[in-house]
Amino acid sequence: MELQTRIIEDTLLVKIVGELDHHSSEDIRNQIDKLLSSNSIINIIFDLSHMNFMDSSGVGMFMGRYKKIKMKNGIPVMINIQDSNRRLLKMSGLFNIYQEYKDLDDAILAIRRGSDE
Amino acid sequence: MNNKMKLEILSKSENESFARVVVSAFATQLDPTIEEITDIKTAVSEAVTNSIIHGYNKDDEIIHILCEIIDNEIIVEVIDYGMGIENIEQAREPLYTSKPHLERSGMGFTVMESFMDSVTINSVPGVETKVVMKKSIKSIKSY
C-alpha cells in the first residue's frame, strides 16, 4: 500500500494505491491524521482509482476520517470509485456520509460551491 | 471436482493479505468471476482479521485456514485458538464491536454473511473458534 497526498487550497487529496485492510489502515490513518492536524485543511477527497481491495477495516478508517472532517465543518468526498469496491461502500452506509464525485475536477468545484454557502 | 488445502499462518496483520490471496488462488480452480473472487477475498480477510484482533490480539499465535472444494462449492474454515466469542448472536449484529476505541466498523460478520452463501460460527472461549463459510461458484466449467 502506498499513500499519495496533495494539498489543494484547504482540501487534502488522498490517493490510496493498493489494498485497504486492517494491516494497511493503521498506517493510512496515522499519515492522514498527521496532515489533518493542520488547521488550514478543512476538506478531504479520497481518490479510490487505485484502491484494488478493501474490507470492513477500511470502512472503520473512512468513518474515523469522516468524524474528523465533520468536526472541522468540512466536506468529505470520494472520487473515482471502482465497481469492485462499490458494494461494500454502499452496504456500510459510507455513501450517506461521503459525497461521491466522478473525478477531481468535479469534486473541487463542488467543494468550492459548498464552502461559499 | 474435489480438492483440499490447509494453510497455517501466524497472527500477524501482514498475513491478512497473504491468506486472502492464497484462498482466492485455490478458488480459481472453480473458474469464478472477478466478483466472486472479490467476495471470497473480502470474507476471508474479515475472518482472519477477527482472529488476529479479537481472537489473539497478539502476533505470534497460530491461525489455520482449511479450504475444500466439493463440486462447485468452496468451503473455507478459519480457526483460531484464542479468547473466543462468548455471545455469538451479539458478535453477528451489524455495527457491534467489542473494540470501539480501535475504530472498528463492527461489520465483519455482516460482510462475511453478505458475500458468502452461508456462515456458521462455533466458539469455545479459550479453546477454539471456528468460522465456516461456504459459497457456490456459478460459473462452473463442466468436467
Side-chain angles (χ1 to χ4, degrees), chain A residues 19 22-23 29 55-56 87, chain B residues 13 16 20 45-46 103:
Chain A
E19 304 190 314
H22 160 243
H23 178 68
R29 175 180 303 130
D55 63 16
S56 75
R87 186 163 166 211
Chain B
S13 62
E16 292 158 2
R20 62 179 180 256
S45 195
E46 301 294 351
E103 234 176 47

Side-chain angles (χ1 to χ4, degrees), chain A residues 57-70:
Chain A
S57 298
V59 173
M61 192 285 293
F62 285 125
M63 283 180 172
R65 306 296 73 63
Y66 161 80
K67 285 182 193 154
K68 298 224 161 191
I69 292 298
K70 274 293 135 181

Side-chain angles (χ1 to χ4, degrees), chain A:
Chain A
M1 190 282 305
E2 184 200 339
L3 209 60
Q4 296 172 3
T5 59
R6 202 170 106 202
I7 294 163
I8 307 167
E9 298 163 15
D10 56 0
T11 299
L12 175 64
L13 173 65
V14 179
K15 184 172 176 178
I16 297 171
V17 180
E19 304 190 314
L20 179 59
D21 63 4
H22 160 243
H23 178 68
S24 64
S25 65
E26 289 184 18
D27 212 28
I28 292 176
R29 175 180 303 130
N30 292 338
Q31 287 189 54
I32 294 175
D33 286 359
K34 204 178 284 174
L35 293 162
L36 286 185
S37 64
S38 153
N39 289 329
S40 58
I41 296 174
I42 310 291
N43 313 298
I44 196 162
I45 299 174
F46 280 104
D47 180 350
L48 305 185
S49 58
H50 288 73
M51 183 177 79
N52 46 40
F53 176 83
M54 80 171 273
D55 63 16
S56 75
S57 298
V59 173
M61 192 285 293
F62 285 125
M63 283 180 172
R65 306 296 73 63
Y66 161 80
K67 285 182 193 154
K68 298 224 161 191
I69 292 298
K70 274 293 135 181
M71 271 168 32
K72 293 166 169 269
N73 285 319
I75 302 170
V77 174
M78 291 179 177
I79 59 171
N80 298 325
I81 296 174
Q82 296 186 42
D83 285 345
S84 60
N85 297 320
R86 195 168 283 283
R87 186 163 166 211
L88 182 53
L89 291 169
K90 196 172 177 190
M91 210 178 98
S92 58
L94 281 172
F95 287 140
N96 298 327
I97 58 177
Y98 276 83
Q99 299 182 15
E100 182 192 349
Y101 293 99
K102 192 165 60 45
D103 55 26
L104 184 59
D105 289 348
D106 282 9
I108 293 287
L109 274 175
I111 284 172
R112 284 192 185 136
R113 271 201 311 271
S115 308
D116 290 342
E117 278 168 9

